[in-house]
């Protein structure tokens, strides 16, 4: 199954490692988060799913990329859980 991240960008649900709230990812005093994202940007592994006017609301970490999504982490987690529940039935 695929998880839609906004603006036509989708990832395979089995490739998703973590979904974070964007503000929480940086506000908490965890310098490793900022360094990780900077390293991924230098390596060209960050994909932004927003247009110029849309705010980034979540960070989705996959096996090979980091996506900055316009959809909330709550909405993405609910979608991912729905797919997980469907696969386990």
């Amino acid at each position: 199954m695929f998880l839609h991240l906004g603006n036509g960008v989708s990832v395979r649900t089995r490739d998703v490692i973590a979904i974070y709230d964007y503000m929480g990812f940086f506000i908490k005093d965890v310098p490793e988060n900022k360094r990780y994202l900077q390293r991924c940007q230098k390596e060209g592994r960050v994909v932004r799913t927003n247009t110029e006017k849309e705010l980034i609301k979540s960070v989705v970490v996959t096996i090979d990329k980091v996506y900055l999504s316009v959809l909330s982490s709550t909405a993405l987690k609910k979608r991912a859980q729905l797919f997980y529940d469907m696969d386990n039935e």
Side-chain angles (χ1 to χ4, degrees), residues 41-57:
Q41 285 175 327
K42 287 179 186 177
E43 295 171 357
R45 298 187 312 135
V46 175
V47 177
R48 297 176 66 100
T49 68
N50 67 328
T51 62
E52 293 176 15
K53 296 180 183 179
E54 293 176 303
L55 294 175
I56 296 170
K57 296 180 184 172

Side-chain angles (χ1 to χ4, degrees), residues 6 22 30 39 43-44 50 57 60 75 77:
Y22 182 75
V30 183
R39 187 180 78 225
E43 295 171 357
N50 67 328
K57 296 180 184 172
V60 180
K77 287 177 184 179

Side-chain angles (χ1 to χ4, degrees), residues 7-72:
N7 292 326
V9 177
S10 297
V11 297
R12 292 188 331 192
T13 53
R14 67 178 173 200
D15 292 344
V16 175
I17 296 170
I19 299 172
Y20 298 103
D21 175 70
Y22 182 75
M23 296 304 289
F25 192 75
F26 293 107
I27 289 178
K28 295 179 183 175
D29 291 327
V30 183
E32 291 83 11
N33 290 348
K34 187 174 182 178
R35 286 196 301 264
Y36 174 72
L37 189 59
Q38 288 173 341
R39 187 180 78 225
C40 289
Q41 285 175 327
K42 287 179 186 177
E43 295 171 357
R45 298 187 312 135
V46 175
V47 177
R48 297 176 66 100
T49 68
N50 67 328
T51 62
E52 293 176 15
K53 296 180 183 179
E54 293 176 303
L55 294 175
I56 296 170
K57 296 180 184 172
S58 61
V59 178
V60 180
V61 179
T62 65
I63 293 171
D64 57 348
K65 294 188 188 261
V66 175
Y67 294 86
L68 304 178
S69 175
V70 297
L71 300 178
S72 73

